[in-house]
């Protein structure tokens, strides 16, 4: 047999280096991937990325310049429009520097139709695109225990898997392009409505002078049990809104889900309600507080 | 030491012999309790109670007549007014036949203030009263695996425990009179709102052409997980609305919770919404279907 020559690890470009993107880049570097970094906010480079640069990561001055130097692009930005901007619409977007065969993987949570549109437009340039939103939050990103749910073509997902293994614990291929985002939004819809239910139950217990923790224990042993009850009811009881999940992230996701539901003409009264409650939480200045602060949004503003 | 004489088991009167009351009576009889039965609907006697009567249970013609013959009264009826009627307000109510020291235990789910009022009125006649709503449904009653959450005085709860052991698996003393009902309503509030969230997520998945079962599996491994997801999402996916929990029971409980929230001036928008959806389910004639049929109530009536 011929001597196997180990192919070098793919060079990875990271766009977006916030609470998710930065720890992901760090894990990739620890797994010997060469990195090229691009952050829209220049100050992010100077402050948080110094350790990555000191370990050999290069900075690119634009998404196009980044794309020209790498095999794979990871995107961790906020909204669907941000994804469109950096990949397609800016004059210096990824598409303008991309070689054929580039793989782009988007970890942002955006609406499924945007994901599908981006996939189809990139495909015209010979670029593979996977929607791969994650769960587990920044804590999961730091600990490399994220779960990702992917939508995209089989061959693209196959290329992504060894890279994802550096910073995720679970990788699920849900179906064609958009399927990752659909799955993520289903998750967020059930999750935020469940949180609302926990908040109302805990408010009811308090108003009737019950021992909230004892009530929570009973609930957790029966039909009212949920992950959100287990994680967030204690925070509601203790008035401890240090963020496990920042309200602004679920506000964003609820907004995306609401729009995506409207696009299909769906009646989603529970989602609409909780999206309204989450918007109210933002207006009250509680963006950085844990989403369990929904219990406080039950008390009308004075 | 004097020879201990084993005291005979308390004689138990059962008021309400429907899906909960009948199997409870049966378990008590199997544990050698003498029974006296009263059902408001006479036909219930003729049809379902024959086996109990053949094993020696007596029938009483009124709650008062029943009370005069027993040590403990169990109540399994529907609404708060039913409880008031059979215990206090009818001419032949329990209170008119009760001896001092009678223990009354109510397994119905009613509002906490009614439970407290009944407790206080019965106390004036030397009658102990415990609010002891149950979870586990008719399946739990048949299998003697119910859980009960009790509100009442310590000495009354102590008397109740050996009786409850015949047909419940878990017995929790939550606090003073009303605490059992408060706990049960907290449970129902979180539960019905969680079901709404599961229904909306599953509707969203279907509208976007996702593999609902794969989406459910992802959700159940993360922050969207709940007992209701595990139990009811498969029913929604399979269009299988054979009852695990009849929608009319949760409609009733949501109505009680809504009134109890209003009584305290609470803002409970999630509960209000799901109560409305459950009322709509009743109007559509789906009272006997499983509560997972909430997913169908998302589609407006034609």
């Amino acid at each position: 047999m011929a001597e196997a020559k180990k192919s070098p690890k793919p060079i990875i470009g990271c766009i977006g280096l916030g609470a998710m993107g930065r720890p992901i880049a760090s894990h990739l570097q620890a797994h010997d991937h060469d990195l090229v970094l691009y952050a829209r906010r220049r100050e992010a480079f100077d402050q948080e990325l110094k350790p990555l640069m000191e370990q050999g990561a290069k900075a690119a001055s634009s998404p196009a310049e980044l794309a020209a130097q790498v095999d794979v692009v990871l995107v961790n930005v906020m909204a669907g429009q941000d994804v469109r901007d950096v990949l397609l619409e800016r004059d210096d977007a990824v598409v303008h520097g991309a070689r054929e065969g580039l793989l782009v993987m988007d970890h942002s949570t955006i609406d499924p139709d945007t994901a599908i549109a981006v996939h189809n437009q990139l495909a015209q340039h010979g670029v593979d695109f996977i929607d791969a939103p994650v769960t587990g939050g920044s804590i999961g990103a730091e600990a490399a225990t994220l779960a990702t749910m992917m939508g995209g073509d089989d061959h693209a997902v196959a290329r992504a898997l060894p890279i994802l293994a550096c910073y995720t614990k679970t990788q699920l291929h849900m179906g064609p392009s958009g399927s990752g985002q659909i799955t993520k939004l289903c998750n967020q819809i059930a999750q935020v409505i469940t949180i609302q239910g926990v908040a109302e139950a805990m408010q009811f217990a308090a108003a009737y002078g019950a021992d909230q923790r004892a009530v929570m224990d009973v609930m957790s042993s029966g039909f009212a049990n949920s992950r959100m009850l287990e994680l967030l009811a204690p925070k509601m009881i203790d008035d401890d809104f240090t963020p496990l999940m920042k309200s602004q992230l679920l506000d964003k996701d609820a907004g995306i889900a609401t729009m995506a539901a409207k696009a299909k003409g769906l009646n989603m009264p529970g989602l609409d309600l909780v999206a309204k409650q989450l918007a109210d939480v933002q207006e009250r200045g509680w963006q950085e507080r844990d989403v369990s602060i929904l219990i406080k949004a039950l008390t009308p503003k004075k």
Side-chain angles (χ1 to χ4, degrees), chain A:
Chain A
M1 282 174 73
E3 197 175 275
K5 193 177 169 186
K6 205 176 168 189
S7 63
K9 291 205 174 189
I11 302 171
I12 297 175
C14 297
I15 297 179
L17 292 147
M20 300 299 292
R22 193 200 44 71
I24 287 173
S26 183
H27 288 301
L28 289 166
Q29 198 170 54
H31 283 81
D32 300 323
H33 285 282
D34 285 335
L35 298 184
V36 182
L37 311 177
Y38 174 76
R40 288 170 303 167
R41 292 170 299 127
R42 179 71 212 175
E43 71 273 20
F45 270 105
D46 301 330
Q47 292 159 19
E48 296 177 14
L49 304 186
K50 219 174 156 192
L52 292 168
M53 308 296 280
E54 284 172 359
Q55 295 293 315
K58 289 194 246 174
S61 65
S62 75
E65 189 194 305
L66 173 143
Q69 303 174 62
V70 302
D71 305 299
V72 177
V73 173
L74 301 188
V75 182
N76 279 285
V77 295
M78 281 296 280
Q81 189 54 51
D82 299 328
V83 174
R84 297 190 67 93
D85 280 349
V86 296
L87 295 180
L88 293 162
E89 296 184 358
R90 285 166 52 159
D91 290 340
D92 57 1
V94 159
V95 72
H96 300 300
R99 292 169 288 177
E100 209 172 301
L102 181 72
L103 169 65
V104 177
M105 189 164 19
D106 178 25
H107 291 319
S108 321
T109 296
I110 66 172
D111 75 283
D113 287 342
T114 297
I116 294 166
V118 169
H119 170 273
N120 292 347
Q121 286 180 62
L122 287 175
Q124 290 170 17
H125 299 269
V127 174
D128 287 328
F129 178 80
I130 299 172
D131 51 297
V134 292
T135 59
S138 55
I139 295 168
E142 297 281 354
T145 57
L146 293 170
T148 182
M149 44 212 93
M150 291 174 280
D153 306 324
D154 288 343
H155 73 273
V157 169
R159 287 177 65 192
L161 288 175
I163 297 161
L164 287 164
C166 300
Y167 56 93
T168 64
K169 200 174 63 176
T170 308
Q171 307 88 28
L172 299 158
H173 186 194
M174 303 305 298
S177 180
S179 303
Q181 299 297 353
I182 293 164
T183 306
K184 177 76 187 278
L185 292 182
C186 289
N187 193 83
Q188 304 306 82
I189 291 164
Q191 185 182 336
V192 296
I193 297 174
T194 301
I195 298 168
Q196 180 72 18
V198 173
E200 294 192 18
M202 287 296 121
Q203 177 195 233
F204 187 93
Y208 271 93
D211 177 340
Q212 287 175 297
R213 198 165 288 273
V215 169
M216 185 195 92
D217 286 344
V218 174
M219 289 168 65
S220 69
S221 71
F223 283 174
N225 191 36
S226 64
R227 273 301 271 152
M228 290 297 96
L229 178 78
E230 291 166 3
L231 289 172
L232 301 189
K235 296 179 75 64
M236 296 176 190
I237 294 168
D238 296 340
D239 250 342
D240 164 24
F241 302 114
T242 53
L244 180 66
M245 293 172 283
K246 286 184 186 173
S247 74
Q248 64 189 1
L249 293 177
L250 287 163
D251 173 59
K252 175 180 92 72
D253 292 354
I256 295 166
T258 303
M259 295 303 290
K262 274 208 180 67
K264 292 280 182 196
L266 298 177
N267 175 41
M268 307 271 277
L271 173 63
D272 290 345
L273 166 70
V274 185
K276 203 168 126 267
Q277 296 295 110
L278 283 165
D280 183 45
V281 161
Q282 308 312 297
E283 273 172 34
R284 296 196 199 195
W286 297 331
Q287 301 93 324
E288 305 274 331
R289 316 301 293 276
D290 186 74
V291 65
S292 53
I293 204 158
L294 274 170
I295 194 171
K296 291 218 173 279
L298 292 172
T299 310
K301 270 173 287 195
K302 300 236 171 68

